[in-house]
Amino acid sequence: MDQCVNVERELEKVLQKFSSYGQHCDWTLEELVEYTSGLKSEIIQTGGQDVELSGTLSLVLSQCCKRIKDTVQKLGSDHKDIHSSVSRVGKAIDKNFDSDISSVGIEGCWQNDGQRLLSEVMVEHFFRQGMLDVAEELCQEAGLCIDSSQKEPFVELNRILEALKVRDLRPALEWAITNREMLMAQNSSLEFKLHRLYFISLLMGGTANQKEALQYAKNFQPFALNHQKDIQVLMGSLVYLRQGIENSPYVHLLDSNQWADICDIFTRDACALLGLSVESPLSVSFSAGCVALPALINIKAVIEQQQCTGVWNQKDELPIEVDLGKKCWYHSVFACPILRQQTTDSNPPMKLVCGHIISRDALNKMINGSKLKCPYCPMEQIPGDAKQIYF
């Protein structure tokens, strides 16, 4: 993170210089244009273009030319100074970031099935972003066979999102009504919020839309139980249609941020119905890699210095724990209180008869004959009675 701050600091200096240079350049050129325009008017008033210039005017004109030349040279010199600042940004990037990150890669991880899996993840990412032509081209080059049924949900999702971005609610409303039962099973408020936004758009039309707004309010009936207060607020705003909602206590209904919120809510609920994560797995993995990369580069250098490179390649896990932050927490994690190690698929958590939980490795180490005594309570039990649990 410190590296990013250092580069950002140099970048801010360049942007500040560019801004001040642009303002100075505009002011200088405007002053120069005003000066030359005044001189031109003076020459015309003296006798026109065909009359020979007096000695005084000739001197003034030569001074004007010199002033223009000096100004251009000065601006050019100032611009060259910015070049050095830009080059310092490049040096800061080279200094704070390692240009060669291949050393932390594991050889052969993208061969055969790994390469195919990576291509499939990239194709799904392009589908999510609405870049269908790029995804199809990648499928052809990678030799992937993607069924049309996998592509169609993303096509519809992106079509609806594009409509929401231009504040067209109809495609999203049609989709929400079609999938109402599944959305209600997830306790989703998407359909209500879409109807709410459409109602607010009618309110913005003033008294001309009053009758239509009252008629549209019937759509709130299925949501009266869970959204009673919100519906009351919407109905109360009708009183201020004549003077305008923007001049009423209900001005908060016109907040433009709710359009960005409805896009996020739609994406979340649509992905949930499709059995997909809200964020692209590729973007999540890339972000996690950016966070972990500095620590991995450092530990790799230490391992090479200690001449124990086998630690890096012989296991399917990293030699150190890398904290990716709470943003990357997607499931519960259990650490064995006896061995103080995080459980894995090969060493899962086991629930004893008494209710205490330890790892399978700890359980095996504590077996005494055919009996097992819980490390937390005096209860003795048969090891085979322990059951594996899943978080």
Side-chain angles (χ1 to χ4, degrees):
M1 199 62 188
D2 292 337
Q3 291 88 343
C4 293
V5 172
N6 293 334
V7 174
E8 187 176 3
R9 189 182 299 115
E10 292 294 335
L11 187 59
E12 286 178 355
K13 291 180 181 178
V14 173
L15 293 176
Q16 187 175 2
K17 282 191 176 182
F18 264 116
S19 177
S20 60
Y21 174 77
Q23 294 175 358
H24 173 70
C25 189
D26 291 341
W27 177 80
T28 303
L29 292 177
E30 286 177 5
E31 185 182 28
L32 193 59
V33 168
E34 184 179 351
Y35 173 71
T36 52
S37 298
L39 184 58
K40 178 182 177 181
S41 301
E42 186 178 346
I43 293 174
I44 293 174
Q45 290 176 2
T46 301
Q49 297 179 352
D50 298 331
V51 179
E52 185 177 351
L53 295 177
S54 64
T56 304
L57 279 178
S58 297
L59 180 61
V60 172
L61 194 58
S62 62
Q63 290 176 345
C64 177
C65 293
K66 185 177 183 302
R67 180 175 177 180
I68 293 173
K69 183 179 179 180
D70 293 342
T71 301
V72 172
Q73 288 179 345
K74 181 66 167 61
L75 292 176
S77 176
D78 293 342
H79 193 268
K80 287 182 180 179
D81 292 340
I82 297 179
H83 288 181
S84 61
S85 299
V86 173
S87 65
R88 279 197 291 271
V89 174
K91 292 178 181 178
I93 293 174
D94 294 337
K95 179 180 178 181
N96 290 279
F97 295 99
D98 197 327
S99 58
D100 182 17
I101 60 174
S102 59
S103 60
V104 298
I106 300 177
E107 295 181 3
C109 63
W110 299 121
Q111 294 179 0
N112 303 325
D113 291 342
Q115 181 64 48
R116 180 186 56 79
L117 182 61
L118 177 61
S119 299
E120 289 177 354
V121 171
M122 292 174 65
V123 168
E124 181 185 323
H125 176 78
F126 289 132
F127 278 149
R128 284 172 173 263
Q129 301 299 318
M131 304 168 69
L132 305 182
D133 52 342
V134 178
E136 291 174 358
E137 184 68 25
L138 178 58
C139 286
Q140 293 179 3
E141 294 186 6
L144 298 177
C145 183
I146 302 296
D147 191 78
S148 59
S149 60
Q150 293 180 257
K151 180 174 67 174
E152 288 173 2
F154 294 109
V155 174
E156 184 180 21
L157 188 148
N158 281 282
R159 177 181 62 84
I160 296 173
L161 279 176
E162 289 299 321
L164 287 176
K165 289 176 182 178
V166 296
R167 303 196 174 187
D168 181 6
L169 292 165
R170 286 184 174 83
L173 277 168
E174 292 173 0
W175 182 90
I177 292 171
T178 303
N179 297 278
R180 176 178 292 175
E181 291 185 3
M182 289 187 289
L183 288 172
M184 292 184 70
Q186 293 183 351
N187 295 321
S188 170
S189 60
L190 174 63
E191 186 181 352
F192 168 74
K193 291 187 176 181
L194 289 170
H195 284 303
R196 177 180 177 274
L197 269 179
Y198 193 87
F199 185 83
I200 292 173
S201 66
L202 294 175
L203 294 180
M204 294 173 67
T207 54
N209 292 339
Q210 183 173 359
K211 186 176 181 180
E212 185 180 356
L214 287 169
Q215 186 70 20
Y216 192 83
K218 295 180 180 179
N219 290 292
F220 294 133
Q221 185 176 357
F223 312 101
L225 183 62
N226 296 325
H227 301 279
Q228 182 179 356
K229 289 185 177 180
D230 290 329
I231 296 173
Q232 289 174 347
V233 170
L234 294 172
M235 294 298 101
S237 64
L238 291 170
V239 178
Y240 294 90
L241 278 183
R242 190 175 298 277
Q243 71 183 64
I245 301 299
E246 64 276 7
N247 301 318
S248 73
Y250 298 92
V251 65
H252 65 276
L253 295 176
L254 306 181
D255 186 6
S256 59
N257 291 330
Q258 57 193 341
W259 287 96
D261 294 340
I262 201 65
C263 289
D264 293 338
I265 294 171
F266 171 77
T267 302
R268 181 195 66 201
D269 291 351
C271 288
L273 290 188
L274 294 172
L276 300 171
S277 60
V278 177
E279 294 183 88
S280 163
L282 183 63
S283 61
V284 172
S285 301
F286 181 81
S287 300
C290 290
V291 175
L293 194 57
L296 296 181
I297 292 175
N298 290 337
I299 191 63
K300 179 68 173 180
V302 172
I303 289 175
E304 289 178 348
Q305 289 177 1
Q306 300 295 328
Q307 297 181 353
C308 50
T309 54
V311 176
W312 189 269
N313 297 321
Q314 290 178 358
K315 296 185 178 181
D316 60 352
E317 61 182 22
L318 295 174
I320 60 169
E321 181 179 354
V322 179
D323 184 10
L324 299 178
K326 292 185 178 181
K327 186 179 180 181
C328 291
W329 288 4
Y330 294 98
H331 56 80
S332 300
V333 176
F334 177 77
C336 176
I338 305 301
L339 300 181
R340 300 186 182 277
Q341 293 178 349
Q342 184 176 317
T343 54
T344 61
D345 292 338
S346 59
N347 180 31
M350 305 294 292
K351 178 177 176 292
L352 303 180
V353 177
C354 56
H356 293 111
I357 301 173
I358 60 177
S359 66
R360 178 181 289 171
D361 288 349
L363 184 147
N364 293 333
K365 289 182 178 181
M366 297 178 66
I367 295 176
N368 186 7
S370 60
K371 295 288 185 178
L372 168 69
K373 185 176 181 180
C374 175
Y376 288 98
C377 65
M379 183 175 182
E380 288 190 353
Q381 50 204 289
I382 300 174
D385 292 339
K387 295 182 179 180
Q388 182 177 343
I389 62 172
Y390 302 87
F391 287 97

